[in-house]
């Protein structure tokens, strides 16, 4: 999709706009904008949702940086507390909206990048930094209310073992009741503007307080953000390969309009588990 201001109105009003994208634009109030949101608009959106104690950075239009700026992207965020944001860029727009929802986790990822850079340098990238980036771009968080952990664990294990029929079809009613998924990766949100079979995320499950379903959007964001930050810190998620498992995004119940038997029978998309695959990380 062309990332221009002129495309904004037509893009957000498409009848087939992915549910996750439409819901996010609605909850942040951006569905009422008439032009592609600027960095200034994104800062206003953040202030509306975080009227006090915003723990995240400011968003700064890429064109306002001096041409001599040579620092790495993560260094600018860490040192200046600003996020370079390209004008009319869906990718950077969704990145800002993930910051809005997950400021503690995004700050945590930025700190992990900087720790790695200080130890190993900017280039070449280490495997750990590649895994951090992969989650940042393509992550999915599955929130599980604490009082429903016992019921959710078998479904999460089935998901980790790629028992797609069991968890996505036979128990599709559990999504939104036991399992509350939210897209963390801003690249996946961008790709959902034109969804395609093969679109996949890497999921992490976390525990949130009871009554999660009845919380406001802002409270759900705060609780999920705290839980993800805690899990990353306690489980050393990015140091080893295979800690996070793939999730075919279009298979999540309600996230794609055509989820019939033939769709889920596509084994090129819904692939069998490899022999080395482990169960999902413990819920904490």
């Amino acid at each position: 999709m062309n990332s221009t201001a002129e495309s904004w109105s037509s893009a957000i009003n498409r009848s087939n706009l992915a549910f996750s994208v439409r819901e996010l634009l609605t909850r942040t109030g951006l569905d009422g904008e008439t032009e592609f949101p600027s960095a200034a608009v994104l800062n206003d959106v953040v202030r509306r949702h975080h009227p006090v104690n915003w723990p995240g950075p400011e968003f700064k239009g890429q064109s306002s940086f001096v041409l001599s700026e040579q620092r790495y992207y993560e260094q600018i965020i860490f040192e200046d507390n600003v996020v370079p944001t390209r004008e009319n860029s869906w990718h950077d727009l969704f990145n800002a909206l993930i910051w809005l929802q997950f400021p503690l986790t995004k700050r945590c990822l930025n700190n992990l990048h900087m720790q790695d850079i200080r130890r190993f340098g900017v280039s070449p990238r280490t495997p750990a930094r590649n895994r951090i980036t992969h989650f940042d771009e393509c992550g999915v968080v599955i929130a599980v209310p604490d009082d429903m952990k016992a019921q959710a664990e078998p479904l999460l294990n089935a998901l980790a073992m790629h028992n797609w029929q069991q968890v996505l079809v036979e128990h599709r009613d559990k999504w939104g009741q036991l399992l509350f998924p939210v897209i963390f990766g801003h690249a996946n949100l961008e790709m959902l503007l034109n969804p395609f079979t093969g679109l996949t995320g890497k999921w992490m499950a976390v525990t949130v307080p009871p009554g999660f379903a009845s919380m406001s959007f802002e409270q759900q964001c705060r609780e999920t953000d705290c839980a993800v930050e805690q899990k990353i810190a306690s489980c050393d998620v990015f140091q080893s390969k295979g800690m996070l498992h793939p999730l075919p995004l279009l298979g999540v119940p309600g996230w794609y309009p055509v989820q019939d038997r033939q769709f889920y029978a596509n084994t090129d998309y819904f692939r069998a588990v490899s022999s080395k695959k482990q169960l999902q990380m413990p819920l904490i």
Side-chain angles (χ1 to χ4, degrees):
M1 180 175 294
N2 186 23
S3 300
T4 65
E6 289 75 23
S7 72
W8 175 256
S9 180
S10 60
I12 67 173
N13 289 299
R14 288 173 52 183
S15 60
N16 63 343
L17 187 65
F19 171 79
S20 298
V21 175
R22 186 181 302 280
E23 182 181 48
L24 182 55
L25 294 178
T26 299
R27 285 180 165 179
T28 56
L30 289 177
D31 60 332
E33 293 292 321
T34 58
E35 297 181 347
F36 205 102
S38 64
V41 169
L42 294 174
N43 287 322
D44 288 341
V45 171
V46 165
R47 283 189 283 269
R48 287 201 302 269
H49 287 269
H50 297 269
V52 293
N53 300 326
W54 162 240
E58 291 284 307
F59 303 101
K60 182 177 178 179
Q62 185 70 49
S63 63
S64 64
F65 283 83
V66 296
L67 295 178
S68 59
E69 177 61 74
Q70 296 295 316
R71 287 176 298 170
Y72 180 70
Y73 174 79
E74 296 289 349
Q75 292 176 295
I76 296 174
I77 297 174
F78 185 83
E79 294 171 2
D80 295 357
N81 199 34
V82 299
V83 177
T85 304
R86 291 169 295 184
E87 290 81 359
N88 301 325
S89 166
W90 286 100
H91 191 87
D92 289 11
L93 166 71
F94 288 131
N95 180 51
L97 296 185
I98 298 301
W99 270 103
L100 180 150
Q101 296 171 89
F102 296 93
L104 299 180
T105 302
K106 292 283 281 186
R107 183 73 75 188
C108 175
L109 298 185
N110 180 248
N111 289 338
L112 290 175
H113 273 291
M114 291 305 301
Q115 290 170 19
D116 193 282
I117 288 171
R118 284 193 290 266
R119 185 176 179 185
F120 301 106
V122 170
S123 182
R125 296 171 63 93
T126 64
R129 273 183 64 212
N130 285 335
R131 287 189 284 269
I132 295 167
T133 300
H134 194 188
F135 182 72
D136 193 25
E137 299 277 354
C138 301
V140 178
V141 175
I142 301 177
V144 176
D146 186 65
D147 56 343
M148 298 180 179
K149 283 172 62 175
Q151 300 158 272
E153 284 276 17
L155 295 178
L156 293 173
N157 285 330
L159 199 61
M161 297 303 294
H162 295 197
N163 293 330
W164 309 119
Q165 288 292 320
Q166 177 185 349
V167 71
L168 297 177
V169 179
E170 297 170 17
H171 292 286
R172 65 184 295 111
D173 61 316
K174 304 304 182 185
W175 295 82
Q177 295 185 7
L178 295 180
L179 310 177
F180 295 84
V182 59
I183 293 179
F184 181 87
H186 54 284
N188 271 340
L189 283 169
E190 181 184 22
M191 286 185 282
L192 278 169
L193 292 170
N194 287 297
F196 57 90
T197 301
L199 186 55
T200 302
K202 288 280 190 174
W203 65 271
M204 174 192 301
V206 297
T207 303
V208 292
F212 182 80
S214 61
M215 295 179 185
S216 67
F217 170 66
E218 288 79 9
Q219 189 175 0
Q220 285 183 340
C221 289
R222 286 194 297 271
E223 297 293 351
T224 308
D225 187 24
C226 288
V228 177
E229 181 197 32
Q230 179 184 355
K231 185 149 192 174
I232 290 173
S234 62
C235 293
D236 206 10
V237 173
F238 304 113
Q239 290 307 310
S240 301
K241 184 178 180 180
M243 295 287 282
L244 303 178
H245 303 300
L247 176 63
L249 293 187
L250 305 189
V252 175
W255 280 13
Y256 192 59
V258 184
Q259 294 182 327
D260 54 20
R261 180 179 301 179
Q262 182 178 2
F263 172 72
Y264 286 108
N266 181 353
T267 56
D268 287 333
Y269 189 28
F270 299 96
R271 298 183 178 184
V273 69
S274 71
S275 59
K276 297 181 181 180
K277 192 65 65 177
Q278 300 176 351
L279 297 181
Q280 60 101 20
M281 290 181 292
L283 279 170
I284 60 171

